[in-house]
Structure formats: structure tokens, C-alpha cells
Amino acid sequence: RYAELNRRANQLGHYLRKQGVGPEVRVGVCMERSLEMVVALLGVLKAGGAYVPLDPSFPAERVRYMIADSHAPIILTQSKLYSLWPQSEAQVICVDEQWEQIASESPENPVNLSAPENLVYVIYTSGSTGNPKGVMIGQRNLLNILQFFVEQLEIGAADTLLATTTISFDIAALELFCPLLAGGRLAIASTARGEMESLAARMQQVQGTIVQGTPTLWKAILEQDWGAVAGRVQVLCGGEALDWSTVERLREVGGKVWNVYGPTETTVWSSIYGVQAGSEGVVPIGRPIANTQLYVLDAAMAVVPVGVAGELYVGGTGVARGYLNRPELTAEKFVPDPFGGAGGRLYRTGDRVRWNPGGEVEFLGRADYQVKIRGYRIELGEIEALLQKHAAVEQAVVIVREDRPGEKRLVGYAALKTEAEGTEVSELRNYLAEHLPEYMRPAALVLLPALPATPNGKVDRKALPRPEMNTGRESLVGSRNAVEEILCGIWKQVLGVQRDIGIHENFFELGGHSLLATRVISLTRQLLKADVPVRALFEAPTVEQFAKHVARAGNTRPSLVLRSRPQHLPLSYAQQRLWFIDQLEAGRSTEYNMPRTLRLGGDLDLEALKLALNAMRERHESLRTRFGVVEGEPVQIIDPPSMIDLPEEDISGLDNAVQKEHVLAAMRREWETPFDLANGPLFRLKLIKLSDRDHVIVLNFHHIISDGWSQDIFNREFVTLYQAFHNGHANPLTRLPLQYADYAVWQREWLTESVLRDQLDYWRQALAGIPEELEFPKDRPRQAVQTYAADACTAILPGEQVAALKQLSQENHSTLYMSLLAAFAALLQ
């Protein structure tokens, strides 16, 4: 009863205040879900402090970290949990054992010492650095959402809210405090593993009228019999994207269905949508709750139009104070509000959303769920949605695994519907092959009885098992000769498969892809001395078929190892092509310039930057290579290492608009200034200072010494060197065993006249009959000297057209880029 609950909380509040608890003092609470736990939370708040929930089911190391990071001087717990408690300098109070002493305190409300700005709790969420991070929520933040939901759900004395969430998640604050504020009834349930089936029975037992949970939790509840509570329950669904099939099932057995959304950093929920009938697209996450603002912005924090995807920023009363002891991360995620008053902040959610024409926000997926595998950008949500459309699939999730360092792969996990338990992996694989291009298909599909869940009901991605690659064959045919035996060993090594490989198994169905195929070819050349092209593996994807290509293959190419260099270093064929074009254009061409900019935010260590630049130039011979002519033949000339300076320009005195134009002009100059291949240097850098904590580096490389992959390597190593020098450390990078000049020497030895003749014959046949040039209609005569004057033309296509193009691409097993390129080629014809 309320009187008893209030009396016990008051007594604990007085007791804690005598122990030094007051405003901004954090108190750890580690208790099992019970009325005693609610008394502990209220007692902390009555004393004016803030609680830090510590889940007793968490690993000891995680709890130990949260205690140390939160600097909680007191921990409230129960005697049954004391033995599990890690060593701590904090004062540990077992509420049950010490209740006689606590009960001697006054039953009256303690004098209120706290203000709306003071902390109410610190919730720890997972962090990208490997350690959890504490989110600091103030009393004003929490009161805003509690008041809103009491009014929105019209909670009253006749309502019973069934609390299903552990206090380690902020949703618990809404579940525990809303009914107490409104005079309703609070019932507590457990959602621990193995106890999910008791939820429906618990709902019937307490006659629950309000329950919130994730879609994963609701799907589990829907399998149970709701009995007498059906039709009277208000359902809150959040924490994960909600699908229409779950909505329809909830509407059949429940009452009002609300889709809610909000990160921990904006205090439980930030938006709400009263779900109406629907069946297509995504279920909206709705409109902002009271005193909350939602903004959909692009990378420059500019507002995007209705229907255009952008990142969701949340502003208003719910925005947290920030992360405890993490000022850099706080500054990164909580940014100044350019749309509100002075001092206001927005939280960057990292979620991709868009406004729909009805004025609701639609959730499109996590920005960090957009992954890049083998150079392709992939939205995992797209694959998950497709899997869940299969008639046999109850629930699906797709993740990127890196079970072997450096080898990322997509892995899909599916839980089948009860009536579809006999469904084979091959059926799902064929289904995906019908809808997705090869690069978007998971390398492995794993069928599970149910997807693992976290304590608050979300899919526990970290608990998903490592897949065992197989094709569903009951019996494997082993190797029959030495070549097949070696090939089976190569495949086993490259794919990371623990079991034996059969000669009839398909390399790509075992998880292979184009990059792994190149490793197979490399090992085949080393071990079997057979010069097999990569395309052979695509044409013959089983060991039995591939072995026939090996048998027909000629001598292998020489190994790429360090050789003695000739007096005059030759160019690689790629370099010779670019050198020839430069000679043809008399050094005036800029079409192979590769300019780019890097934006540097924060304090800049200029000396470390210059040291990193010169270390990169010393490490990579290409960065100090130029191209001369000896006896009519081009040669590489590698200059010895020497210190070069970094040109600097200070425009910090200009306003933002002028600065932007200045940087763009610097970029244009780099586009338009040719390189001198004979005299070098063939890369240029310039540092532009915008302010003390904001700089831009303008870089430009000639394509003859760099390409896209090279620039990624440059950026990565440049940052590594800068960080090392900034921290006073030596160069951490190991010496390179080979340089590009060594590759050029090797290539000239391998591509002899006979090898070149075979390759040239292939391309002469493949390109036979093509026009020498495309004749376009001209509106003016072509000039005698090419000027390279041009511009980039940008077009934005309507969403419906983009969707149709994506569908066309999927139907033809191509990427959107391939389809657009084909359309452009058709236009040119």
C-alpha cells in the first residue's frame, strides 16, 4: 500500500542522509526485482541523491567497473547478494539485514534538498570503447517524461502497470514511477531467460492494463494465452524497430498499441505513435513527446526535406547532462542547438530516419548498421527485413562477424515458426539469392530455436553463436588424389572451416567471396605451381571442378619477393600508361589529379603533424618518386629521404562563409594545377587554419603514385604516426618488406612477350568491332586542343524512382551502381 511504501522509503531516506547522501551523491543499487528494490530507489531519491542501478546478473568485472567509474560511496544490496559482491571501497548496506536499524528513523518525509537540475540516476549503457558509459539524467529530465506518459496513457487508480524491465535499463524508471505518481497499481514481473513463458500468466494474475516491452518480448508473450486481460491492455512497444505483422497480432489480443522511441541519452522515450492500421513500409516512431524537439539533419546539420533520410537529433527537456567522466564523448554526441536558445543542446542519435508526409518520423536503421564489406556499402536492416518476409521465418537478424582477424563476413540468424521447423538453410539461401545481389547475401545462415535476448528483451547480438559452415549435405565425398587433397586443405585454411571439405561442396556456399577467392588462387600457385586465373574458381566452384582447371594450367607466375633492382627502374604497366598520357598532353592534363581534404577538429600538434608527414614520405618510396627518360624509355627516379615543410595558411580572421569559399577555391586550384612528372613532387599538401581548434588539410596526389586503396592506407598510417609523435613515442610502424618499385620489376619479369601476347589476343577479340569514338550531336565545333573544361552535374531522383531502380537491380542480381552505369552507357549509345 502507498502509506507503507512511503513510510519505508522515508525511513531509508533519513538513514542515507545520515550516511552523507545528498544532491549529486551517487548510490549504487544492486537488488533483485522486488518491493524492497522499489523502496531502495525511492529512499535514495528521498535523501536527495541519485541511484546507479547495478544488475546482479551482470559479470563481476562489469559491475566492478561501474562502481569505480561512478565513484558511488554507498551501495544498497541484499544479504543474499553480498557474497557475490566484488571487492569495493564503498560502504555496503544490506537493506534486509540492517532494516531494524533503518526502521528507527523518522517515517516523515525528509526535507527536500535537491533541485530539478540535480542528478536522479546514472544509467550505464554499452560503449564503443569496450567499457560501459554512464548517462547522467537529471530530475527535470525524468519528471518531464513521467508527467507526459501519466497524461498520455490516462493512468489512474484502476490501472495496473506490469513492470518487466530490469532497473539497469532506463525504461524501468517509467514503469516503476508512473503508476506511483498516478495512484495506480505497480506489479513486478521477471523477464529472465527461462521465465518468459510466465509473463502471460503474470498479466492475467495481476489483471495488467499497461505493459511495455520490445518487439522481441511481445512476440514471446503473444505465444501465450492472454485470457481475461485480452482487449484491455495498452501496449507500449519500443527499443527495436516494430514490424506490421507484430502490430496486427498485438491489435488482435490487446487494446491500444503505442510505438515509442528514445535513446537513454534523451531520457527513456522521445517520441510516440498511436499505431493505426497499416501493412506496408515501416511503423512510424511518431511525433515528439512534450517539451521535446526532433530534427532530421544531413551531415552538415542542415534540415532535410520531408521524405529524405537523415540523422535524427533530439532536443528539449529530455536531453541528458552528458556522459559521466567522458567530456570528449559528451562533446561529440551532445552538440550545440543551432535552432533553439543560447546554451541549448541536441543529442546525435546515430539513427537514420525521415519525416513522412503525415508529420511522423519513420525509423530507417542505425547509421552504424550500415556496413562496408569488401568495398560494398550494405544496410543490414534491408537483409533482415527480407529474411523476415519469408513465410517460414519468425525472427531474423544479420550481423557482421570477424571470427578471423581481418575477415569480415555477413552472417544471418533466423528463428523459424513452429509450423516451419523442417525448413532447410538451402531454401532460405535460394530465397535470398532471388532478391539480393551476391555481395549482400550472408556468407552463412544459422537456424536457431530462438534468438538470444538481453535482460530487457532485445536481441542479444553478442550471444549469437559462431556459424559452422555447411551446405546441408549428409555425406561428404573426400579427395581422390593428391591435387584434390591439397585443394581441400587450401579451402579449409582460407574459409576457416574446422571440419573436412568435400570435393562437391560449393566454395561460395561455404562462405567464400571474391577476396577469399584470390587467396585460394595465390595458395594454388604456391603449392601446386599452377597459374590459374581467379575467374576459374567462379566458373568451377567445387574442388572436383576446380582441380580440372589446375590440371590444364600452365607454369605459374614468379613469386613476388624482393629482387635486386636494375640500374634504371622500370615503370609498371599502369604507371607507363599514365606517363604516356601525360606526354601526349605535354604535361597540361589534370585529369589524373586526386585532390581531397581532411577536416581536423580539436587541438592540433603542428610539430607532430609535420613529423608524421615526413615519416610517411620516408616510409613510402612512391611519395618521393618522379619519372625521367633514359635512352627514350621512362624510368622511376626515387629521391632520397629529406625533410620537407608543410605550407600553412591562416584564415581564422575571416567569417565562416568566406572561409568555406576559400577552402573550395584551394580545392579548385589543386584540380586545375598539373603535376610535373619529371621534376616532382607528385603529391602536395597544404594546411589551412580556420580557428585554433579547426583546420583543413588539402592533399593532392597524381594517380601515377596513388590510387583509392593507397589513399586509405595513407590516411590510416598518417593518423597512427601523428598519434605516436603527439604522445612522444617513436615510429610504431614496421619497415615495409616491398615497395611499389619492386612490384614493377617483378611485373616486367613475369609479363614476358609470350604472356602479353596471350592477354592482348584476348582483349583484341573481346573489343573487336567497337567504335573508335562515339559521335555525339554537337552544338559547336570541337576545338583542336582539348581543354578539359567540364563540370559535375548532380540530380536528385524521387524516392519512388529510386525504389523502382533498386527493385530492378535486385531482380537482375546487380548493384544500383551497375544499373545506373548501364543506363548511362545506353544514353551514350
Side-chain angles (χ1 to χ4, degrees):
R1 295 182 181 277
Y2 275 84
E4 174 69 7
L5 182 68
N6 195 49
R7 179 180 63 81
R8 291 164 64 90
N10 288 340
Q11 290 170 327
L12 180 58
H14 284 290
Y15 182 81
L16 290 175
R17 186 165 288 177
K18 289 182 178 180
Q19 311 305 315
V21 176
E24 299 300 308
V25 175
R26 298 179 284 276
V27 178
V29 177
C30 182
M31 307 181 77
E32 291 184 345
R33 296 168 58 78
S34 62
L35 178 64
E36 201 168 55
M37 176 193 74
V38 179
V39 169
L41 297 178
L42 292 174
V44 173
L45 300 183
K46 297 260 189 181
Y51 66 86
V52 181
L54 306 167
D55 195 317
S57 67
F58 281 179
E61 187 61 35
R62 185 178 182 88
V63 175
R64 189 178 298 113
Y65 174 85
M66 290 190 289
I67 296 171
D69 188 67
S70 65
H71 301 292
I74 294 175
I75 298 169
L76 300 181
T77 189
Q78 296 158 305
S79 56
K80 67 177 72 173
L81 300 175
Y82 189 83
S83 61
L84 303 176
W85 201 244
Q87 294 296 322
S88 171
E89 296 180 359
Q91 176 187 356
V92 178
I93 298 175
C94 290
V95 176
D96 51 350
E97 280 189 352
Q98 296 174 238
W99 186 253
E100 185 175 344
Q101 183 180 358
I102 296 170
S104 65
E105 299 291 341
S106 169
E108 301 299 323
N109 269 318
V111 176
N112 183 24
L113 300 179
S114 59
E117 292 75 25
N118 290 134
L119 280 180
V120 66
Y121 62 71
V122 177
I123 292 281
Y124 278 84
T125 65
S126 60
S128 59
T129 61
N131 288 323
K133 54 185 184 292
V135 181
M136 298 184 288
I137 300 296
Q139 296 192 22
R140 177 181 282 110
N141 302 138
L142 182 59
L143 183 60
N144 181 70
I145 188 173
L146 295 179
Q147 184 172 347
F148 173 82
F149 273 90
V150 165
E151 296 173 1
Q152 183 73 29
L153 303 181
E154 300 180 339
I155 302 175
D159 284 300
T160 297
L161 194 152
L162 181 63
T164 63
T165 310
T166 170
I167 58 168
S168 292
F169 296 91
D170 61 340
I171 304 170
L174 186 147
E175 293 180 333
L176 298 176
F177 298 140
C178 269
L180 300 184
L181 287 173
R185 192 159 66 122
L186 168 65
I188 298 177
S190 173
T191 56
R193 293 178 183 176
E195 300 179 16
M196 200 78 77
E197 64 275 7
S198 65
L199 276 176
R202 180 70 170 147
M203 289 172 66
Q204 290 188 37
Q205 177 189 14
V206 301
Q207 294 294 292
T209 61
I210 301 171
V211 187
Q212 72 173 353
T214 64
T216 300
L217 177 63
W218 280 115
K219 288 173 182 176
I221 296 176
L222 287 166
E223 299 299 323
Q224 312 300 319
D225 180 16
W226 285 36
V229 301
R232 299 194 304 109
V233 180
Q234 286 197 83
V235 168
L236 277 75
C237 206
E240 292 176 309
L242 180 61
D243 58 277
W244 284 110
S245 61
T246 302
V247 168
E248 291 307 310
R249 296 176 66 191
L250 286 171
R251 289 170 65 87
E252 290 174 4
V253 295
K256 183 72 174 178
V257 178
W258 303 93
N259 192 26
V260 286
Y261 163 88
T264 301
E265 289 83 348
T266 59
T267 315
V268 192
W269 303 126
S270 301
S271 69
I272 186 169
Y273 177 69
V275 182
Q276 309 298 321
S279 60
E280 295 181 348
V282 295
V283 181
I285 59 175
R287 304 185 182 199
I289 69 168
N291 305 311
T292 300
Q293 297 86 44
L294 303 181
Y295 301 97
V296 184
L297 309 178
D298 63 16
M301 288 191 69
V303 176
V304 301
V306 172
V308 176
E311 184 177 358
L312 179 61
Y313 287 68
V314 180
T317 307
V319 176
R321 185 186 298 182
Y323 297 112
L324 183 64
N325 304 324
R326 304 284 288 276
E328 298 86 0
L329 186 60
T330 298
E332 175 188 342
K333 302 294 287 185
F334 296 82
V335 298
D337 181 0
F339 311 103
R345 296 176 307 144
L346 300 179
Y347 173 70
R348 299 186 58 175
T349 67
D351 289 330
R352 294 180 64 253
V353 301
R354 67 184 173 210
W355 289 104
N356 67 21
E360 288 91 20
V361 174
E362 294 180 347
F363 177 81
L364 302 178
R366 282 291 301 172
D368 54 3
Y369 283 2
Q370 184 188 77
V371 299
K372 198 169 186 180
I373 300 289
R374 307 193 301 280
Y376 297 104
R377 292 188 183 277
I378 301 170
E379 288 284 354
L380 299 183
E382 182 178 354
I383 310 172
E384 292 175 353
L386 183 62
L387 267 175
Q388 292 188 165
K389 287 182 180 178
H390 192 281
V393 175
E394 175 68 27
Q395 192 177 12
V397 66
V398 178
I399 65 172
V400 175
R401 295 190 68 100
E402 193 172 355
D403 296 312
R404 302 178 70 189
E407 292 183 9
K408 294 182 180 179
R409 58 178 177 168
L410 295 176
V411 179
Y413 298 84
L416 300 180
K417 297 177 180 176
T418 306
E419 64 272 20
E421 289 182 351
T423 303
E424 296 286 341
V425 168
S426 57
E427 181 181 336
L428 296 181
R429 194 183 296 280
N430 293 336
Y431 168 74
L432 292 179
E434 294 174 359
H435 296 83
L436 296 175
E438 184 274 336
Y439 72 87
M440 289 189 67
R441 300 174 208 157
L445 287 172
V446 180
L447 301 184
L448 299 173
L451 299 187
T454 61
N456 71 333
K458 294 184 180 181
V459 174
D460 189 353
R461 294 171 182 260
K462 293 183 179 179
L464 293 167
R466 175 174 177 167
E468 268 297 322
M469 295 294 195
N470 64 75
T471 60
R473 291 181 179 271
E474 296 181 358
S475 60
L476 299 177
V477 178
S479 56
R480 300 165 298 187
N481 53 55
V483 171
E484 289 182 347
E485 182 178 359
I486 292 174
L487 289 176
C488 286
I490 291 173
W491 288 25
K492 185 175 180 179
Q493 175 185 340
V494 170
L495 294 168
V497 177
Q498 302 301 316
R499 62 173 180 82
D500 291 334
I501 300 290
I503 63 171
H504 296 142
E505 294 190 90
N506 188 297
F507 175 79
F508 299 101
E509 290 183 358
L510 289 171
H513 51 71
S514 56
L515 287 183
L516 293 182
T518 62
R519 291 187 57 191
V520 168
I521 298 302
S522 177
L523 288 171
T524 301
R525 288 167 178 162
Q526 291 178 31
L527 300 178
L528 293 173
K529 306 302 180 185
D531 192 8
V532 185
V534 176
R535 70 172 183 273
L537 188 53
F538 288 87
E539 297 169 355
T542 69
V543 167
E544 180 184 45
Q545 296 167 340
F546 187 63
K548 297 176 182 177
H549 284 265
V550 172
R552 295 193 298 265
N555 293 331
T556 185
R557 67 187 68 183
S559 299
L560 177 53
V561 295
L562 191 63
R563 289 169 163 75
S564 60
R565 294 181 177 181
Q567 180 181 0
H568 301 299
L569 285 171
L571 279 61
S572 70
Y573 284 106
Q575 288 178 324
Q576 183 172 319
R577 180 168 60 251
L578 294 168
W579 177 85
F580 177 80
I581 293 174
D582 183 78
Q583 297 297 301
L584 196 65
E585 304 295 343
R588 295 190 301 267
S589 173
T590 60
E591 60 186 314
Y592 289 106
N593 285 12
M594 301 174 61
R596 64 192 306 182
T597 58
L598 297 178
R599 188 75 173 263
L600 308 179
D603 294 328
L604 181 65
D605 185 340
L606 186 58
E607 186 61 30
L609 193 72
K610 293 179 179 179
L611 288 173
L613 168 62
N614 280 282
M616 285 295 295
R617 189 169 180 271
E618 178 179 0
R619 174 177 173 78
H620 294 279
E621 290 181 349
S622 295
L623 297 179
R624 41 192 170 88
T625 297
R626 49 195 176 89
F627 299 86
V629 178
V630 175
E631 298 179 356
E633 293 293 328
V635 296
Q636 297 191 57
I637 302 172
I638 302 173
D639 293 327
S642 62
M643 294 293 290
I644 61 171
D645 200 14
L646 175 64
E648 303 171 50
E649 185 176 7
D650 187 348
I651 60 171
S652 57
L654 305 178
D655 62 42
N656 290 341
V658 178
Q659 285 183 344
K660 182 177 180 180
E661 284 302 318
H662 191 94
V663 173
L664 290 174
M667 281 288 288
R668 283 193 293 269
R669 284 194 297 272
E670 283 299 339
W671 272 117
E672 298 165 0
T673 304
F675 284 97
D676 184 344
L677 299 192
N679 296 308
L682 301 186
F683 84 107
R684 298 189 288 257
L685 291 93
K686 182 178 184 179
L687 180 68
I688 301 176
K689 179 180 178 180
L690 306 181
S691 70
D692 289 339
R693 294 177 54 81
D694 196 2
H695 297 76
V696 169
I697 291 185
V698 180
L699 308 95
N700 196 2
F701 299 80
H702 193 284
H703 193 23
I704 201 168
I705 66 162
S706 181
D707 59 12
W709 283 37
S710 305
Q711 295 204 345
D712 286 342
I713 294 171
F714 181 94
N715 290 345
R716 184 171 62 249
E717 294 186 352
F718 191 56
V719 170
T720 299
L721 289 167
Y722 172 82
Q723 290 174 336
F725 295 145
H726 173 69
N727 294 323
H729 300 152
N731 185 338
L733 302 177
T734 57
R735 184 181 179 86
L736 296 173
L738 293 167
Q739 297 281 346
Y740 189 81
D742 300 310
Y743 168 80
V745 171
W746 168 84
Q747 187 187 54
R748 292 287 176 165
E749 288 184 9
W750 165 47
L751 292 178
T752 59
E753 184 177 348
S754 60
V755 176
L756 285 176
R757 187 186 307 114
D758 292 339
Q759 296 201 8
L760 286 172
D761 287 345
Y762 169 81
W763 285 110
R764 288 192 182 102
Q765 181 179 356
L767 301 177
I770 67 168
E772 293 187 5
E773 65 176 322
L774 296 176
E775 288 290 345
F776 296 125
K778 304 179 182 69
D779 57 0
R780 68 195 70 172
R782 174 174 287 187
Q783 294 174 302
V785 178
Q786 193 169 356
T787 64
Y788 302 100
D791 202 352
C793 183
T794 302
I796 297 178
L797 305 182
E800 297 79 7
Q801 190 171 5
V802 174
L805 283 167
K806 288 182 177 179
Q807 182 178 354
L808 174 69
S809 302
Q810 291 179 3
E811 291 172 352
N812 289 276
H813 306 292
S814 75
T815 63
L816 181 60
Y817 176 81
M818 290 164 61
S819 300
L820 293 173
L821 189 60
F824 183 61
L827 171 65
L828 295 183
Q829 296 299 323

